[in-house]
Amino acid sequence: MKVVFAGTPEFAAVALRAIHAAGFEIPLVLTQPDRPAGRGLHLQPSAVKQYAVAHGIPVAQPLSLRLDAKDPQRAQEAQAAHELLCATDYDAMVVAAYGLILPRSTLDIKPCINIHGSLLPRWRGAAPIHRAIESGDHETGVTIMQMEEGLDTGPMLLIERTPIGPQDTTATLHDRLAAMGAGMVVKVLSKMEHDVIEAVPQPEAGVTYAAKIAKEEAALDFTLPARELGRKIRAFNPFPGAHATVNGTVIKLWGAESLDADSAAPSGQVIAADAQHGIVVACGGGALRLTELQKPGGKRLPAAEFIKGFALEGQRFT
């Protein structure tokens, strides 16, 4: 079976490695154009492109796949990509965190399947891992589905579950789901190869949408309950990084645990900052013990180390 792969970040690269290692022929990889990164803002290839190039797999990086794109350059690149796909000998396309919408013209060439990091129909959309943690879900998983024009609405081919632990962050859950999805897509491709797989329509009930994460969401509001703030800190680790301001200094908050004890102190007030109690902040309900922090230009530090170089006693997070 010959598989075209479309994906961009590390989540997708894990699946590409698994498909390649399983012996499926990959005649073409689609990935996003190189992006500026690092202090020098030099163009950097995606994780998927790096793997493809290292293993001699042809790569295409169109700006768009939409033949009706209004921008002439995007329309031209979409036409070239469409012609390339039509000329490529393949049986199915696997899509994982590609970042471009696949139009009907692409979906009609060959069957397309998607690796999605949620238990569909919950958390359709761009940020399912973040939103599952932020919302306090007790479990999540990976769904392999057939693609159609709707946003993550296609019938399901395989679904597997995993619990969300109290210490899970988007980073840890991302890695677990990436490994799960890689193994699952190999199973699905093997079943497709032997024509022994069934597509099951998604339930109509329980649909939710995982909107793309906006950077401004990461600014914490300490009038919210501590449990909610703790989930946000875990959901926004590693991106975009939850933060709050103390005396005009923006502090990144990478780890925390919620405490049930309420305080008469105003929301955001530091009610403890010492080796015995750690850094405890009053919230709209309960209190939050901050466990890992980072000041501008500094390293991520445990609370006990952070307070040695940044005085928080009597201060207030805003």
Side-chain angles (χ1 to χ4, degrees):
M1 191 169 182
K2 298 176 182 178
V3 180
V4 167
F5 187 87
T8 299
E10 181 60 26
F11 183 92
V14 174
L16 176 59
R17 286 195 288 269
I19 294 169
H20 190 232
F24 292 99
E25 184 177 343
I26 305 172
L28 178 66
V29 159
L30 300 178
T31 190
Q32 289 255 9
D34 297 357
R35 304 292 188 196
R39 292 189 176 183
L41 294 180
H42 300 297
L43 290 178
Q44 297 291 330
S46 70
V48 163
K49 181 181 178 180
Q50 291 179 48
Y51 182 87
V53 170
H55 292 82
I57 303 171
V59 176
Q61 297 176 271
L63 288 169
S64 174
L65 294 174
R66 301 190 68 91
L67 299 176
D68 60 352
K70 295 182 179 180
D71 178 75
Q73 183 182 357
R74 289 177 180 270
Q76 183 178 7
E77 292 200 17
Q79 182 63 42
H82 181 75
E83 292 175 1
L84 176 61
L85 285 170
C86 289
T88 299
D89 179 19
Y90 71 103
D91 302 297
M93 179 187 291
V94 172
V95 182
Y98 181 26
L100 292 183
I101 295 174
L102 269 61
R104 171 54 58 188
S105 57
T106 301
L107 296 173
D108 283 345
I109 300 173
K110 295 287 183 178
C112 298
I113 64 174
N114 178 244
I115 306 170
H116 187 75
S118 83
L119 301 174
L120 290 172
R122 186 159 177 79
W123 301 127
R124 295 173 178 172
I129 301 176
H130 296 78
R131 298 305 182 191
I133 293 176
E134 183 186 19
S135 296
D137 291 6
H138 295 296
E139 68 172 358
T140 186
V142 173
T143 306
I144 311 293
M145 67 173 179
Q146 289 183 355
M147 295 187 70
E148 55 186 31
E149 284 189 283
L151 178 64
D152 300 328
T153 58
M156 303 178 293
L157 302 172
L158 184 62
I159 189 165
E160 293 185 4
R161 301 170 180 271
T162 185
I164 300 177
Q167 301 303 319
D168 266 325
T169 65
T170 290
T172 61
L173 197 53
H174 167 280
D175 292 350
R176 194 155 77 245
L177 294 181
M180 285 176 60
M184 290 168 65
V185 78
V186 168
K187 292 179 187 176
V188 167
L189 289 172
S190 298
K191 290 183 177 183
M192 289 176 65
E193 193 170 29
H194 296 92
D195 198 27
V196 291
I197 193 162
E198 179 183 2
V200 178
Q202 292 186 34
E204 295 183 4
V207 175
T208 57
Y209 291 93
K212 184 178 179 180
I213 302 297
K215 288 187 177 181
E216 53 267 25
E217 291 184 69
L220 296 186
D221 176 5
F222 278 88
T223 64
L224 295 174
R227 291 183 183 276
E228 186 173 340
L229 289 169
R231 295 198 303 264
K232 287 180 179 291
I233 290 172
R234 293 189 291 117
F236 300 148
N237 180 355
F239 175 84
H243 61 269
T245 302
V246 176
N247 279 341
T249 301
V250 177
I251 305 297
K252 287 273 184 102
L253 308 175
W254 296 110
E257 55 187 36
S258 59
L259 307 175
D260 291 330
D262 285 322
S263 169
S267 300
Q269 183 71 43
V270 177
I271 54 180
D274 53 55
Q276 180 181 356
H277 302 96
I279 301 170
V280 181
V281 184
C283 303
L288 200 64
R289 177 178 284 119
L290 304 178
T291 58
E292 187 177 15
L293 306 89
Q294 181 181 20
K295 62 183 179 181
K299 298 178 180 179
R300 293 168 58 158
L301 295 173
E305 294 297 317
F306 185 85
I307 57 178
K308 291 179 181 179
F310 196 100
L312 281 175
E313 189 172 355
Q315 300 296 324
R316 188 177 181 187
F317 283 92
T318 60

